[in-house]
Amino acid sequence: MNPNAFRKLSYGVYIISAWDNGRATGCTANSAMQITSDPATIAVSINHNNYTNKCISESGRFAISILSEESEPSIIGTFGFQSGADVNKFDSVAHEIRGYMPVVKDSCAYIVCEVINKMETDTHTVFLGKVVDADQISDQEAMTYAYYHKVIKGKSPKNAPTYIAEEAVSQKENWVCSVCGYVYEGEAPFEDLPADYTCPVCRQPKAVFVKK
């Protein structure tokens, strides 16, 4: 079986948010889809190890912030490469309350859902949500997962449903962020970048980059 066939499926990049006893939290996801139109119903897949999974199960609601191609890439890292159990992720990301749920401002649309059912797999919970609120925030193009990989050069968190352990695809040496997998491909030699350089995806310092 060639797992690269899965990359031909279409995905977006989303922030799935929930309340944690009054505190906003969330995670990055790429598996969200509309499964019925009337009533409008959305399915999202969340890893059992994601703290957001527990919060959705307990609160019975979730929101989807749909990131655009113009969204700040660090949002993906903030929500995708650290746990909401340890970090207040929304402290560093502009947001507002829509449909009584926290929504990322730097997105092109949002959808708020009430959980009406769920399905468990070995690693993920698929939550089915009835849409109770939704709106378009901007006319910007929604970010696809292909765009995230090819343009932003981001990698999949290990909890992502689409995570594939990747082998080296090039013989040349690259500087790679050891936290999120971002590959630096700038024109200047990595060693010549300023000491305060940070990863554009997860905002970790230059020191976490390793040569591969």
Side-chain angles (χ1 to χ4, degrees):
M1 180 179 70
N2 183 356
N4 286 318
F6 304 147
R7 296 194 184 280
K8 299 302 182 182
L9 293 171
S10 179
Y11 302 94
V13 182
Y14 317 104
I15 304 302
I16 310 300
S17 55
W19 290 115
D20 176 25
N21 294 316
R23 179 182 71 107
T25 190
C27 65
T28 303
N30 62 7
S31 295
M33 61 179 293
Q34 183 177 351
I35 58 173
T36 65
S37 60
D38 188 17
T41 307
I42 303 290
V44 296
S45 178
I46 307 295
N47 193 287
H48 291 158
N49 293 328
N50 281 354
Y51 189 71
T52 305
N53 187 312
K54 169 181 176 291
C55 296
I56 295 174
S57 295
E58 293 179 351
S59 69
R61 291 171 67 94
F62 63 88
I64 305 170
S65 298
I66 303 171
L67 299 186
S68 77
E69 293 181 354
E70 305 302 320
S71 294
E72 172 58 48
S74 64
I75 295 173
I76 301 169
T78 296
F79 285 92
F81 294 95
Q82 52 187 351
S83 173
D86 307 318
V87 178
N88 292 327
K89 300 179 183 181
F90 275 99
D91 284 355
S92 61
V93 176
H95 62 285
E96 55 191 353
I97 305 302
R98 297 285 191 98
Y100 305 103
M101 295 295 292
V103 171
V104 174
K105 281 188 176 182
D106 190 5
S107 58
C108 60
Y110 74 88
I111 303 170
V112 175
C113 297
E114 290 182 353
V115 176
I116 56 174
N117 209 335
K118 65 179 181 178
M119 179 184 72
E120 297 293 346
T121 73
D122 290 343
T123 59
H124 289 68
T125 303
V126 178
F127 293 98
L128 302 183
K130 179 181 71 174
V131 177
V132 296
D133 190 22
D135 200 2
Q136 182 172 313
I137 297 175
S138 77
D139 292 326
Q140 296 169 346
E141 291 294 325
M143 183 187 299
T144 65
Y145 208 53
Y147 182 94
Y148 170 63
H149 278 287
K150 294 178 181 178
V151 179
I152 299 178
K153 306 297 183 183
K155 304 298 181 182
S156 305
K158 289 188 176 181
N159 285 349
T162 56
Y163 175 77
I164 299 174
E166 299 185 49
E167 299 178 354
V169 295
S170 172
Q171 296 301 313
K172 72 174 184 179
E173 289 185 330
N174 291 308
W175 284 93
V176 181
C177 176
S178 61
V179 175
C180 72
Y182 171 79
V183 180
Y184 174 75
E185 295 183 346
E187 295 181 2
F190 185 81
E191 296 91 333
D192 293 344
L193 295 179
D196 60 355
Y197 173 83
T198 59
C199 174
V201 174
C202 68
R203 293 304 190 196
Q204 294 300 306
K206 183 179 179 181
V208 307
F209 278 77
V210 296
K211 184 181 288 187
K212 291 187 178 181

